[in-house]
Amino acid sequence: MGKELRIIISGGGTGGHIFPAISIANAIRAKHSDAKILFVGADGRMEMQRVPDAGYEIKGLPICGFDRKNLLRNVKVLYKIWKSQRMARAIIRDFKPMVAVGVGGYASGPMLNKCADAGIPCLIQEQNSYAGVTNKLLAKKVRKICVAYEGMERFFPANKIIITGNPVRQALLETTMTHEEAVKKLGLNPAKKTILLVGGSLGARTMNESILQHLDLIKESDVQFVWQTGKYYHADIMKQLNNRQDLPNLKVMDFISDMGGAYRAADLVVSRAGASSISEFCLIGKPVILVPSPNVAEDHQTKNAMALVNKDAALYVKDDEAPKALLPLALETVADDARLQTLSKNILRLALPNSADIIADEVIKLAYGY
């Protein structure tokens, strides 16, 4: 192919943007080991740590979102946008990318805008069933739009859309442990059913409250629970559990580093409805109860969840109903083997494997003009 492959990947802000971005980069590197890949993120956001940890160089832009509550602060935001655009032009001049990839998040806006203006072919990847603001704005300028859900023509030009699915963390798919081994590794009993409750790395207040309000129900059940509280809530929760010595079937952790093992151990997962998490559940065929976060743009997590619920591939509990209803539903579901099998079978049908490879191929095609 001759010319050295040079690619910018921009975006971030959450794991749901960062993990797919790194997976795409890894897939490109697997095909072109000498490819030069530069990430561009937002200063102070988690990509500035996670991307270097994955072995890639990253440059930060001072970009941030608009403050809808205090409009005066947006004068500073406008300045940061202007400065980010200038920095984006300098990055293009110095790095000379052949193609740019946007995965959503603040930084992808100015970076892909300036790449498109410079005639550099661009591709965006939209993880959610409801398109984010940045990607909707970029849609007119980019060449290809990779999506994970059907019906995205309501946001994007149909002729640019490719249904690829969402790239996921490879470690989740590569775990070789059996269910029994994974349960034992967590210090639990393989003869009992296991429910995994996760609210993200920082936790989810509603899901934590759902558990705290039903400790007696947990105690009386013959089910084991693995509860990721999130680092933000962990100390307070442990204080509340300090006097409870009667819950040997409740394993409490602030953060689970081996999610592949935790998913393998679980008979049922209770989770938020982020796009990356849903893609993971589809690929591993895991029965799940989704509790969409209400604190996201355009309520997109509810839309993600309903795309599964409408195909009998997941169960769903509203955030404001979770404290009362979530634990009883989880216990009822995990005891019903036929229900678990149906959910597992149906969610597997929605899996889109090899997403990172498919997107990487599209990126390479754009870079070399074919």
Side-chain angles (χ1 to χ4, degrees), residues 69-146:
K69 294 179 181 176
N70 190 332
L71 296 178
L72 287 175
R73 289 184 183 170
N74 289 325
V75 174
K76 188 180 285 188
V77 174
L78 289 170
Y79 170 73
K80 288 184 175 182
I81 292 172
W82 174 80
K83 187 175 180 183
S84 295
Q85 289 174 335
R86 286 193 65 190
M87 290 175 68
R89 281 197 295 268
I91 290 169
I92 293 167
R93 184 186 65 239
D94 295 340
F95 184 71
K96 298 179 176 61
M98 297 163 65
V99 63
V101 179
V103 295
Y106 297 135
S108 63
M111 194 68 244
L112 265 74
N113 257 316
K114 290 304 168 188
C115 283
D117 290 347
I120 296 160
C122 298
L123 173 151
I124 55 176
Q125 198 254 331
E126 174 56 59
Q127 296 92 28
N128 293 292
S129 60
Y130 195 95
V133 173
T134 301
N135 279 346
K136 282 194 281 190
L137 292 172
L138 288 170
K140 291 179 182 176
K141 291 191 169 187
V142 305
R143 305 269 185 94
K144 298 287 183 182
I145 302 171
C146 298

Side-chain angles (χ1 to χ4, degrees), residues 161-182:
I161 292 174
I162 307 168
I163 297 181
T164 60
N166 286 325
V168 302
R169 293 171 283 184
Q170 284 304 115
L172 298 180
L173 306 177
E174 292 169 355
T175 183
T176 57
M177 280 187 288
T178 64
H179 171 75
E180 185 174 339
E181 289 168 344

Side-chain angles (χ1 to χ4, degrees), residues 121-341:
C122 298
L123 173 151
I124 55 176
Q125 198 254 331
E126 174 56 59
Q127 296 92 28
N128 293 292
S129 60
Y130 195 95
V133 173
T134 301
N135 279 346
K136 282 194 281 190
L137 292 172
L138 288 170
K140 291 179 182 176
K141 291 191 169 187
V142 305
R143 305 269 185 94
K144 298 287 183 182
I145 302 171
C146 298
V147 303
Y149 293 90
E150 296 174 353
M152 298 303 284
E153 296 85 1
R154 65 193 194 277
F155 305 111
F156 303 130
N159 63 326
K160 296 183 180 183
I161 292 174
I162 307 168
I163 297 181
T164 60
N166 286 325
V168 302
R169 293 171 283 184
Q170 284 304 115
L172 298 180
L173 306 177
E174 292 169 355
T175 183
T176 57
M177 280 187 288
T178 64
H179 171 75
E180 185 174 339
E181 289 168 344
V183 173
K184 284 181 176 177
K185 187 180 177 184
L186 287 166
L188 300 174
N189 183 351
K192 293 187 174 184
K193 293 282 186 71
T194 302
I195 296 175
L196 171 65
L197 304 115
V198 287
S201 58
L202 297 177
R205 183 190 298 275
T206 304
M207 291 174 64
N208 290 341
E209 285 299 321
S210 302
I211 300 162
L212 289 170
Q213 291 183 27
H214 290 282
L215 293 176
D216 288 337
L217 193 60
I218 290 171
K219 175 189 170 184
E220 293 162 7
S221 77
D222 195 36
V223 174
Q224 302 168 129
F225 294 81
V226 179
W227 177 16
Q228 180 181 275
T229 62
K231 295 183 179 181
Y232 182 78
Y233 300 102
H234 188 70
D236 182 59
I237 286 170
M238 293 309 295
K239 200 178 295 181
Q240 293 185 61
L241 295 175
N242 193 35
N243 298 321
R244 297 294 300 253
Q245 306 298 321
D246 56 345
L247 293 165
N249 59 333
L250 178 63
K251 184 176 182 66
V252 185
M253 306 167 76
D254 64 337
F255 180 73
I256 300 172
S257 55
D258 181 12
M259 283 305 300
Y263 284 154
R264 185 62 60 89
D267 296 283
L268 175 69
V269 178
V270 178
S271 171
R272 288 302 202 192
S276 290
S277 296
I278 285 177
S279 294
E280 291 168 358
F281 301 143
C282 291
L283 285 165
I284 61 178
K286 192 58 60 174
V288 61
I289 299 174
L290 298 169
V291 186
S293 171
N295 307 311
V296 294
E298 307 288 354
D299 195 26
H300 69 251
Q301 285 204 4
T302 296
K303 297 175 178 72
N304 291 347
M306 295 312 296
L308 272 65
V309 172
N310 291 336
K311 295 181 179 178
D312 197 24
L315 301 178
Y316 154 68
V317 175
K318 288 183 179 179
D319 186 81
D320 60 1
E321 295 175 1
K324 181 179 178 181
L326 180 58
L327 257 291
L329 177 62
L331 286 167
E332 176 190 331
T333 305
V334 83
D336 186 341
D337 287 337
R339 190 79 186 102
L340 291 176
Q341 286 177 12

